[in-house]
Amino acid sequence: MSHPVRYYCPHCGAVVELDREGYLSDKSVTPYPLVGWEYRDPDEAYDVADGVRLVCGDGAAVDGLRWTGDRMTADDVAEPGIESPCGREFYLSFVRFVEGEEVEPEPDPSHVEIAAAEPHGPRGPEGPGGFGL
């Protein structure tokens, strides 16, 4: 049996109601997908995936999905005060289990580029004359 559950867009705060089965446990709602999670659109069989990819304000013709017209307080980091609905993607992630153990999301890998092979000292006055003397 499905139940309506409400979520809000983390970018603009628009509230969506999604009919979903009660056995699905929510993990999080994020503006980005969790690494290693598989997402489906709300008109697909998302109950066999790890979560649902939602587009803020989109999907009015999808059974079991309704944008309420309500708005929660949310400020997008990149665009504070963004219009609602904003049309941006966000992700509802379900609790995932592997071999009976709950899986925690891994952080997105960050790549750091080092500018030079050898460290350079601080820049300052050259020689005993000081600054331009």
Side-chain angles (χ1 to χ4, degrees):
M1 176 180 212
S2 66
H3 304 279
V5 181
R6 290 182 173 206
Y7 305 97
Y8 69 91
C9 173
H11 301 288
C12 71
V15 177
V16 64
E17 191 172 87
L18 179 66
D19 286 337
R20 64 173 187 76
E21 297 299 323
Y23 71 87
L24 295 169
S25 296
D26 295 345
K27 179 92 176 148
S28 61
V29 175
T30 57
Y32 50 85
L34 299 180
V35 175
W37 260 244
E38 176 192 346
Y39 296 90
R40 301 260 173 97
D41 291 336
D43 60 346
E44 299 177 323
Y46 60 81
D47 57 335
V48 297
D50 301 321
V52 184
R53 183 187 73 84
L54 297 161
V55 177
C56 185
D58 192 26
V62 175
D63 284 339
L65 180 74
R66 183 178 76 87
W67 293 92
T68 67
D70 296 334
R71 183 173 181 182
M72 300 296 294
T73 303
D75 279 325
D76 186 70
V77 174
E79 296 180 54
I82 191 171
E83 295 267 338
S84 177
C86 65
R88 296 178 67 186
E89 292 182 349
F90 65 100
Y91 300 85
L92 163 60
S93 303
F94 301 130
V95 175
R96 242 178 95 193
F97 293 92
V98 173
E99 297 179 8
E101 295 291 323
E102 183 177 341
V103 176
E104 290 298 324
E106 295 179 23
D108 194 14
S110 299
H111 299 283
V112 177
E113 187 175 313
I114 299 176
E118 295 181 22
H120 295 282
R123 294 183 184 187
E126 294 182 17
F131 289 96
L133 298 177

